[in-house]
Amino acid sequence: MSSKYNVFNLLREGLQGHTGWQAQWREPKLKPAYDAVIIGGGGHGLATAYYLAKNHGMTNIAVLEKGWIGGGNSGRNTTIIRSNYLYDASAAIYNHALDLWTTLGRDLNYNIMMSHRGVLNLAHDEGEARTLKRRVEANRLNGVDSEWLDAKQVKEFCPPISIDVNMRYPVIGATLQRSGGVNRHDAVVWGLARAADSMGVDIIQQCEVTGIRTEAGEVVGLETTKGSIKTPKIASVAAGHSTMIADMVDVRLPIESHPLQALVSEPLKPLIPCVIMSNAVHVYVSQSDKGELVIGAGIDPYVSYTQRGSFDIIEHQMASLMELFPIFSRLRMMRQWGGIVDVSPDASPIISKTKVKGFYINAGWGTGGWKATPGSGHAFADLVAHDRANAIAAPFSLERFVTGDLVAEHGAAAVAH
Amino acid sequence: MFLIECPWCGERDMSEFHCGGEAHIARPDQSESMTDEEWAQFVFMRKNSKGRYAERWNHAAGCRRWFNLLRNTATDQILAVYRMGETAPSVATDEPVTPSGEAPIGSGNDAVKLMKPGEAL
Amino acid sequence: MAQSDPTLKPPQGRPERLSALAHRAPLSGDEGLTMQEAAHLGKLVLRLDESVAGTIVPDALNGVHLPTLPCCSDTSATGTLSVLWLGPDEWMIVSEAGTEQTLQTELELQLKGQHFQLSNVTDYYVCIDITGPQTREILMNLTTLDMHRRSFEAGQVKGSILGHANAFVWQLHTDTGATETFRLIVRSSMADYLWCLISRSARLFGMAEETPLSGERLVI
Amino acid sequence: MAASRQKTGLRTQQGGRINRDKPVSFTFDGKTYQGFEGDTLASALLANGQHMVARSFKYHRPRGIVAAGAEDPAAIVQIGPDAVETDPNTRVTEQEIFEGLRASAQNCWPSLSFDIGIANDVFSDFFPAGFYYKTFMGPPLSWMRFEPFIRKAAGLGVAPTDRDPEQYDSTNRHADVLVVGAGPAGLAAAKAAADAGARVILVDETNAIGGALLSEPEGSVSLGSKPADVAIQKMVDELHANPDVTVLTRTTAFGYYGDNFVGLWERVTDHLAPTDRVTHMPRQRVWRVRAKQVILATGALERPMVFDGNDRPGIMLAGAVRTFLNRYGVLCGRMAVIFANNDSAWATAFDLQDAGAQIAAIVDIRRNLSGALLQKAAHRGIPIHAGSAIVGTKGRSHVAAAGIRVLDASGMISSKANWIECDLIANSCGWAPNVALFSQSRGKLFYDDDLKAFRPGASWQQERSVGAANGAYDLQDCLDEGRNAGAAAAADAGFKKRIPRVLKASHTMLVQRDLQIMPQIPSPKAAKKVRAFIDLQDDVTTKDIKIAIQEGLHSVEHIKRYTTTGMGTDQGKIANLNAFAFIADHLGKSVPDVGVTTFRQPYKPVTMGALAGQHVGAHFMPRRTTAMHPWHKAQRDVVFEPVGDWLRPRAFLREGEDFHQAVQRETKAARTGIGVLDASTLGKIDVRGPDAREFLNRIYTNAWSKLAPGKCRYGLMLKEDGMVMDDGVTACLADDHFHMTTTTGGAANVLGHLEDYLQTEWPDLKVYLTTTTEQTAVASICGPGCDRLVADLLDDVDPDPETFKFMDWRDAHIQGIPVRVFRISFTGELSYEINIDASYGLWLWKKIFALADSEGGTYDITPYGTEAMHVLRAEKGFIIVGQDTDGTATPFDLGMNWIVKKSGDFVGRRSLSRSDTSRDDRKQLVGLVTEQPDFVLMEGTQIIGSKDEGAVPVVMLGHVTSSYFSPNLGRSIAMAMVERGQGRAGETLYASRKGEAPMAVRVVGTDFLKERSDGTI
């Protein structure tokens, strides 16, 4: 029996043919009633369950997943972690997440390979430099690690990049968040699932929600492909499918679901040491521990649930990459895929109560949700447990679209990866 | 990579077009008398349907005309193209059979679609 | 001030007119392939309601119709004046160099009373003519338009994207039928980009590849 | 073990589709080898007895050549003459050899034969699937200590060190029928479609047409009355002769996207020696094909057997051995053991024997073999082991012996080991249709219980799968399916139906029959000692999959991710089905119940350079320049600024000046002398129609009903959310005719925005829009007394500011050339903007400067760039949309209440009165002056309320949007968005500075010139 993960158990199991490892999570039967039900078994949903159980003692809860856990955007993103956002509200939640990331592997007893290797956001003209410097300044006063590098320093930090001044979009500088980086998405999902499961959370896969029951404007239960459940609280964390869930209780969302693509190269010996992101040239890249270059780009401009984007986007993404890294041209794209991102009008998330009591929504993370995973789960768990948004969640209410108090991160950074 | 039939220019590659989002959202005439809530519905809230979805496209690189397009967002199948001011034609399509709108074929969600034993080709 | 370029000498005498491709000499390749600018052709954009367009043949157009069939053009018997369909209520009138102002004045007079718009875009656009048996194949490197003979016929004009530049692709009527000429109508500021991109594609057919003007200092 | 000690493998005396008249020499790991034209690196190395070419990813175990094509899992090497033109992870089974080719092993140190990394293999018991998730979890950041070592150990090949000198192209094609795969089915399909008149593209990823027929012994098969090779050549010649047919070899269909868009990747010169490459040819080319109909004739892939010790070099797929023999004239071994569960591998035995190899045994797990087969083998004297299996192998870097045992009826081992020496194990676990592209097309697969494999079911797009890709393994079936599909596809594409000619195959080849699957061959060893590999590149064994399942990972996607099976550069082409079958077996489910992982694009890895195509370097994105650009560029030291797609001069540096000094000089000159700015890039839109005024009323925040012809007015445009989107001056040309200007970067957006409202919201408004941005070049002439210069220029209009008033415009001429002159100003100074047809722009510009004293003229004229323009407008307090606004500012926030009309709707109006957009504590635009007049705040500096920052988080009141040293005011000036800013005039705030004490700043109005004349600053 080796429930604890450490090097000693690994050695012991190695000698015993690895016969002692237990299932990382159970395959429980759906119970007829739960204190709360989370819809969506991605990183955010599982983190919500984990913190509900860990911080709020709510263990009689279930996570319902239509497919297999971590199979949506959690399994499709480029795992970039950073918190150097402009606005106070964003800095607060993403920096909270960054703090949690730092110890999450140990907390979960699961190596999530959190690599604080540094994230560069490139500036290619004076306007971008101005915007990014503003962000660095705001970050500094918010206690977020962030600094400005000139082109030479960028080259020192990331030697393969081209800082040729004759480029169409020459690199004139960049912000650097040294504590930013990447981690291993599957490990995060599995580690959260294993930890939540060990506290009693039921993780139900292949279970699609087909309806939500309300009485007098309050949630009382839901229907699934595996049966009915009574519950006073439903937390929707369904990313691209948030609209479908909210429609069940007639809650309208300011969300459009777009395709977002990413791709990896064949594995290569270490080539780039950090994460590089560029808005003007529109590409972002890092290298996985396995050696693959992990490359992302922009969204397609239309609503689609097909998990497939346009080939043009890939071509443009590659051209952009060649602009920044002309030495990549002989390398090969090995695998490309698409996800469904829930884009909100102000490029900021929604962590909110709704007009239906007991129905909570966590959505709108767009292209940048991965980095927030533990922070999002932490704040959302608090909201679900107490029916009241804490200071971190409060600015992200649905109400802001009515009052106009947007957290307009897209104005600050065009794309909020 | 859609192949879109512009009502004027015929079939052209998607790269010539610009997508304008959900169709048939008329700008309110009497916005002054609307509540903030009602105004927010117009400016921000979107149907975002999975399945049949009417949206606006503009043949930006061609004739610069706006038109409407009916598409199944679960499969990206284009069902119809019609002009501004016209109502969406009724077109048979695989409407969502579950709340998540998973189409029986043509969608990439969850997994590769497999035929059931005995299912006709 | 560096004055090696003769176009930069202080003006003397008559006003000097330069197109955006004045710095590019005609290029040629194998089998009669050529590319050159058709400089300073008069170009007017006419906006007019579709419903009246079919019935109006302004005298100024010398009997040339406003085509109402998408992507079609009509050309005068002399070949000096053409009207291109750009959209259901939008045409481009292409005429000989220097005639656009007279034409505009006449058309304004003749269309008086109609709801219309007539804009001089002579300098807005540049015309690049490519001739030769490989033209369609060269254009296929740049555009997603179906360039097959069955799909793109003489006289047709289609707005599309060539590389990253919006442009109209117009196949001129040619009497000989032997060699085809495509006229690309592109914004002046994109003309050099497009010229070079075409030459890059045409390198496969013996044309010299030219590269876009660059070397501007962007970094302080 | 004599056979295995000598170099195995041999070039046959004759046969094969190689050119024996053209020897080719190449090197592998520094050693020179000989091959022939037509060889792949794999066939040439095998002919030289070199089976081992690589090390595996994780355990660094020796890896040899297993397959003969793109499906080979692990035989990948680094190719290239130097560190720049180098191609990592190149599959030896696909790389054709050429004179001087250099290849080397990768992911091993110090050498391929002795690799330190093998230590991982020794300790492999401790590195099972997912081991890294269970360790390296020390205190925070501890992973950072392990990661560099892990990263160095991981990865395969090495990236180039410098810019790729090669060119890549991409091109577009429309096809009626695209046929992927030029084997018998694809060829028949292409021929039938072409004969019907369709535009056809036929592609094959190898260097020759013929597909599986090329793996048959020459002359053994006839099509119609001709030998297959002759018949194929005739069909190819006919296809080539048809101008509407394109035949592409060395071209892979890598991606099947929506609406029958298929990406093809052609390797144009990769097979040529550098001296044979034509300089203007691209290295590779991507064909972007839009097809009305697609026919997939992608063949079938052979599955390997999964047994203990199945990963040694020399253990190959039976079909591949046959391909190497018959296509390339290479014997992969002299002493072969055949291990099969179906008939097809027996053909390999017979062909090998015919070519002179010894067949030590045919081991078949089937107990009941067909009489004909047994008879044929017995006749040849081949020992048959029916109902038996290879349960283990020996050999270090090459297989040396196979351990054979008899299986009982239940599939368990029932005999003692029988070790047979061999240098080749040719194995086959049956064939599976290559459905990757079909699945990418989003068709439905179904599990064929006879084939024990997935094959295409219902199509989603306009697509047909034929031949082996459709599970038809018989040659005649392939020809018939292809022919019928080709004809049907042409008909569906709109061509007249024709009945295509029937092509008869001479005989039926030995195809898979009576397939019997055993997901893992049993082993007599203790379970933990068994090493049966499913994924040879990523070293995934059956044991790893068992551990994953034991740990509760039951979804096929979870198991794939946990074990990394199918995640190597081959993407598990031959591994995946075995993995699914093994998982199904272990979970007690059927294979279709387990499901499959997604077949992702690309079918095989495609170079990023090819995907980028020609849109790189100088062609990456166009730089737009104005008519005056040649003049700008000819100045001695000019710095440009990209603004949107445009390049605009930022400052003209004079000798001895730095950028700052130049900007100061230019800024000063525009207020004291005459400054000239190239303003051509501003967006211009002609607005015309009886409802033009009403349209402007709805689009802009202010009223346009009363603007008289001859006059101009400034306008502000909002988005529906109430935030400022663009601004500019619009001139009334006639009652129904206006000339609108926009910002440089916003021009395209604004036109789109206006057309959108006109066409979709207000189709009743009679207004036409046409963009005229580039029709005119604009010289903006500014400075006290510049009217005299303008007077000298104009033929017929007196620019006297007394009569030609501010915000007036006039038509005029310069040397007879029509111009339009606007008396508008972005500097607050007397200013005229002269618009002239762009073709005269450079002439006008030169004409202006001919009047400069530096050119012998009489005026003190200074060209100024965008940076001086920024300073000048800031001195006057004019905003720049996008710099002083960031999409969160309303007109009220900018202190521009005066521009918001009192009544009447306009785009964005309703949003201004929402509770949070009408709050008075919003951030508002103010002017700031620093306590130290010579200190210029950094743009982006945050403004705080107190002199002491205190601890984070610090409350921020706003930020600096624009900041300059103003030479005209002799001090620094700044604009900022500050909370409640409009009520803070005179207040002292603080500018936060990194590492320094905050600097005191005073809040003032934004019109610094006025503030100066008022004595405030």
Side-chain angles (χ1 to χ4, degrees), chain A residues 257-279:
Chain A
S257 296
H258 291 269
L260 175 67
Q261 301 178 81
L263 57 92
V264 295
S265 75
E266 296 180 329
L268 299 151
K269 290 295 173 194
L271 180 57
I272 50 171
C274 56
V275 181
I276 300 98
M277 312 177 66
S278 165
N279 271 336

Side-chain angles (χ1 to χ4, degrees), chain C residues 162-176:
Chain C
L162 276 64
H164 294 298
N166 283 23
F168 298 102
V169 183
W170 174 24
Q171 190 189 352
L172 302 183
H173 287 283
T174 44
D175 298 329
T176 61

